[in-house]
Amino acid sequence: MTDPKPPTQNPKKSLVLAGGGMRVAYQAGVLVALEEEGISFDHVDGTSGGIFNTGMLASGWKPKEIAEKWRTLKLSGFMSAGSAKSYLKPFKTQGIADANNIRKKVFPHLGISVSQINKQEKFAATFNVCNFSTKSVEAIPSNSVTEDHLIAGVSLPIFMPAIQIQDTWYTDAVWIKDANLMEAVKQGSKELWLVWAIGNSPTYLGGAFNQYVHMIEMSANGALLEEYNQIKLTNEIGAIGKSEFEPIKLFVIKPPIALPLDPDFFFNKVNAKELINMGYAHAKKYLSSIPPKGEFLEADTTKNREPEFLYSFRVSFSGKSKSPTKSQKMEYSLYFRFAEFREHHELEVYSSLKLEDIHDEISCFDHLTEITNTTKGRKLEIQTSLILEGKVHKITVATVLTNPLEILMGLNFKDLTFKMWDENANLITETILYQSILDRLKAVYFSSLKSTLDKSIGIRKRFSTLKNLINYGI
C-alpha cells in the first residue's frame, strides 16, 4: 500500500496517522481496508500514537501483519513503573511511568525496527515530536530517526517523561498538533488521507480524567483547524493565474461515535480486535462513497455524534464449520455498541472471523441488522461481508434475544446460527456455533454503559437499555 507511483499517473498521496493513545489499533483496520482498495501512498506521517503504526509500516510490515501484531499485544507492556525514588517526590517527578516497557516489549512485539526504518526507501516517512526548547513540532525523517525520537513522540506529558536527545528535550507533539498535514503538503502531496482516532464530542464532562482528555481534544482539533486554514490559503495562492490548478484534497476516516478511551482498553471493556474491526468497517464504508472533491475543510470533519447513553458488549462463538469439502475450527466474534440518542436509538455491530487454516483473523464490513419476533423470543439477524482469498463472501448469523434479565445474568447468547456464501452465492458453510457460560459471564462483566448526562447508572438503567436493544427496530 506504500509503493510509490509515478507522479504522471496519480497525484502524490500522504497517509497521515494521528494520535489516539493505544486506541490507534483502530488504524490497523483502516490500513487493511486501504490496501484492499489498492490505495498506495508516497508518504506516511505519524504523530503521538500514530507513530506506532507509522513505525510498523516503515519497518516493512504489511497491514494484515500489523493488525495481527496489535491483536496479540499484551497491554501490560505499555506501562512500567518509574524509580521508587521518583514516587517519593510526586510534585517533582517527570511522569507517572517510564518508557522501559515500550522499548523492551511493545516495540519488539510490534516489529518496530529503527534499523529497518532508517534504510527503507519504498516511501517517505516522518515522525513528529515536540522540541520543548523551541516549543515547535519537528517532523523527523525516517533516514535519521532514532529510537529516542520514537519514544519521545509517544511520551504524553504527566504519564511519561520527556526524552533528552543531545542537549534538547523532546516529548509528544499532541499539545501542539496531533496530525501534521502541512508536512504532507511540504512533501508535495495533493491527496491527504487522515485517519483520526481522537474524540471530538460537544459535551464538556466533569472529572479530572475527562477534562485532561478534553484538553487533548481541544489542542488536537484546534491545531487541525489551523492547518485547514493553511491548506485553504495554499490552494488559493496556488490557483492564482492557473486555469488547471489541482487543489490539495483531504479525506478523513474516523469513527462516527467516539472510540472508547484508553482505560476501557486497559480494563478490557474493548480490545484490539474490536478496535481493528471498527476501523476496518468504518474505512470500508468511507471507501464505498469517497467524496470526489475531498472533505470540506471545517470543524465537522472530525466531529463525533454523541448519544446520551452508550452500551457496549462482546460475544464470541466457536465451533466447527460444516462444509461439503472440509471441516475446520472457527470462531466468530461480535462487538455491539447500542446508542441511545434523545429521539432515536442505533445499533452498531462489528465482527471478525477466525478460521483454523488461515493465520490472520478476517474483519467483516457492511453489517445489516434486523430483529424480528419468534416463539422463542426476539431473533437478531446480522448480514455482513468479508474478503476471503481475495473474494467477497457473504455471512448471515442469527441468535435469539430472550429478555434483559437473562442477558444481565449471562444466560443469553448461547448459540449462533452461522451461514456463509461464496462469491458466486453458493452456500459453503452452515453450522451452529456456541458460546461457553464462562465467556458469557465475562461478556457481562466487561460490558460498559456510559452516559454524557449527569445521572447515576445502575442495574435499572442497564435493564431498560437492554430492553430497548431487544425491541430495537420493532
Side-chain angles (χ1 to χ4, degrees):
M1 69 178 290
T2 48
D3 292 328
K5 297 180 180 179
T8 54
Q9 293 182 6
N10 291 293
K12 192 173 182 181
K13 298 183 181 68
S14 282
L15 176 64
V16 181
L17 299 175
M22 295 172 295
R23 293 168 292 170
V24 294
Y26 173 91
Q27 295 175 347
V30 176
L31 296 178
V32 173
L34 290 170
E35 183 180 54
E36 288 179 353
E37 194 70 15
I39 298 176
S40 61
F41 297 94
D42 311 277
H43 167 237
V44 181
D45 181 84
T47 306
S48 194
I51 284 175
F52 289 110
N53 292 313
T54 304
M56 282 190 274
L57 285 171
S59 297
W61 298 105
K62 300 295 183 183
K64 288 183 180 179
E65 296 171 326
I66 291 172
E68 191 60 26
K69 289 179 181 296
W70 276 111
R71 291 188 190 101
T72 55
L73 177 65
K74 292 182 179 179
L75 293 184
S76 58
F78 274 98
M79 298 294 289
S80 53
S83 66
K85 184 179 179 180
S86 67
Y87 294 113
L88 296 176
K89 299 179 179 179
F91 295 105
K92 291 187 177 181
T93 185
Q94 288 199 15
I96 297 173
D98 62 32
N100 287 343
N101 274 5
I102 292 180
R103 289 183 190 271
K104 297 176 181 178
K105 296 181 179 180
V106 175
F107 277 7
H109 179 90
L110 296 179
I112 296 175
S113 167
V114 173
S115 62
Q116 291 295 322
I117 294 172
N118 290 158
K119 67 184 181 183
Q120 75 87 24
E121 297 179 346
K122 290 185 177 179
F123 58 95
T126 46
F127 303 85
N128 297 295
V129 292
C130 167
N131 181 321
F132 185 74
S133 298
T134 61
K135 308 300 185 292
S136 62
V137 172
E138 291 184 15
I140 311 297
S142 59
N143 61 1
S144 59
V145 75
T146 67
E147 186 179 78
D148 279 346
H149 286 124
L150 300 181
I151 293 294
V154 298
S155 294
L156 192 63
I158 296 180
F159 291 99
M160 289 175 61
I163 303 294
Q164 188 173 18
I165 303 174
Q166 296 179 351
D167 296 327
T168 303
W169 288 94
Y170 290 92
T171 188
D172 196 316
V174 67
W175 295 110
I176 303 176
K177 62 175 67 177
D178 204 32
N180 198 347
L181 299 184
M182 288 309 296
E183 176 60 31
V185 173
K186 291 176 185 177
Q187 294 280 338
S189 293
K190 289 293 186 178
E191 285 190 14
L192 314 184
W193 287 76
L194 171 63
V195 185
W196 191 258
I198 287 285
N200 185 3
S201 300
T203 301
Y204 192 84
L205 300 175
F209 178 74
N210 283 329
Q211 292 178 17
Y212 183 80
V213 172
H214 290 338
M215 287 190 286
I216 293 176
E217 292 179 357
M218 287 187 286
S219 61
N221 286 284
L224 188 66
L225 292 177
E226 287 301 314
E227 296 225 308
Y228 286 177
N229 290 332
Q230 293 181 58
I231 293 173
K232 288 178 184 177
L233 182 60
T234 301
N235 283 339
E236 290 172 2
I237 294 174
I240 296 174
K242 297 179 183 178
S243 58
E244 297 182 358
F245 173 73
E246 183 181 4
I248 298 165
K249 296 179 182 178
L250 174 71
F251 303 93
V252 181
I253 298 174
K254 63 165 188 183
I257 296 174
L259 296 176
L261 297 174
D262 280 355
D264 286 336
F265 200 3
F266 263 119
F267 295 110
N268 202 23
K269 302 291 185 179
V270 66
N271 59 38
K273 171 167 60 177
E274 290 151 1
L275 288 166
I276 291 165
N277 292 344
M278 292 170 70
Y280 180 78
H282 295 160
K284 294 293 280 189
K285 183 175 182 180
Y286 187 84
L287 292 169
S288 68
S289 56
I290 303 172
K293 295 183 179 180
E295 302 288 348
F296 292 106
L297 299 175
E298 55 189 27
D300 285 349
T301 57
T302 61
K303 188 171 290 185
N304 299 125
R305 297 167 58 243
E306 187 177 66
E308 293 185 345
F309 293 93
L310 182 65
Y311 189 79
S312 306
F313 65 100
R314 68 172 61 95
V315 293
S316 182
F317 299 89
S318 59
K320 284 192 173 183
S321 64
K322 295 180 180 179
S323 169
T325 55
K326 64 178 178 180
S327 177
Q328 62 174 315
K329 292 180 181 178
M330 61 189 301
E331 180 179 322
Y332 187 66
S333 301
L334 286 154
Y335 180 66
F336 296 91
R337 301 180 93 199
F338 183 65
E340 294 183 327
F341 293 90
R342 180 172 299 177
E343 297 179 352
H344 71 286
H345 301 151
E346 292 182 12
L347 177 61
E348 292 184 354
V349 181
Y350 306 97
S351 66
S352 57
L353 179 66
K354 178 67 176 175
L355 296 172
E356 183 180 14
D357 62 351
I358 296 179
H359 178 263
D360 298 320
E361 192 157 349
I362 308 168
S363 298
C364 301
F365 63 99
D366 286 350
H367 295 83
L368 298 174
T369 61
E370 183 180 15
I371 296 179
T372 56
N373 287 316
T374 70
T375 56
K376 296 181 179 180
R378 310 284 200 202
K379 183 177 77 170
L380 169 63
E381 185 173 272
I382 302 166
Q383 298 179 30
T384 186
S385 302
L386 56 75
I387 308 292
L388 181 59
E389 297 178 344
K391 305 290 185 180
V392 177
H393 289 52
K394 299 290 185 181
I395 290 176
T396 298
V397 299
T399 190
V400 174
L401 305 175
T402 50
N403 60 68
L405 183 60
E406 288 197 359
I407 296 176
L408 287 172
M409 294 177 66
L411 300 177
N412 212 158
F413 297 106
K414 298 177 182 178
D415 54 57
L416 183 84
T417 301
F418 181 96
K419 298 179 182 180
M420 182 162 63
W421 291 263
D422 65 14
E423 70 276 14
N424 298 315
N426 298 314
L427 181 64
I428 57 173
T429 299
E430 182 176 7
T431 189
I432 297 178
L433 305 176
Y434 298 92
Q435 183 174 213
S436 69
I437 182 63
L438 180 60
D439 284 342
R440 282 180 268 154
L441 292 172
K442 285 181 178 179
V444 174
Y445 180 77
F446 290 117
S447 63
S448 172
L449 178 59
K450 295 183 178 295
S451 176
T452 55
L453 304 177
D454 187 19
K455 294 182 179 180
S456 61
I457 298 176
I459 191 69
R460 180 176 297 180
K461 178 55 191 172
R462 284 179 175 265
F463 188 91
S464 67
T465 298
L466 287 171
K467 184 177 179 180
N468 289 335
L469 167 63
I470 292 171
N471 293 320
Y472 176 69
I474 292 182

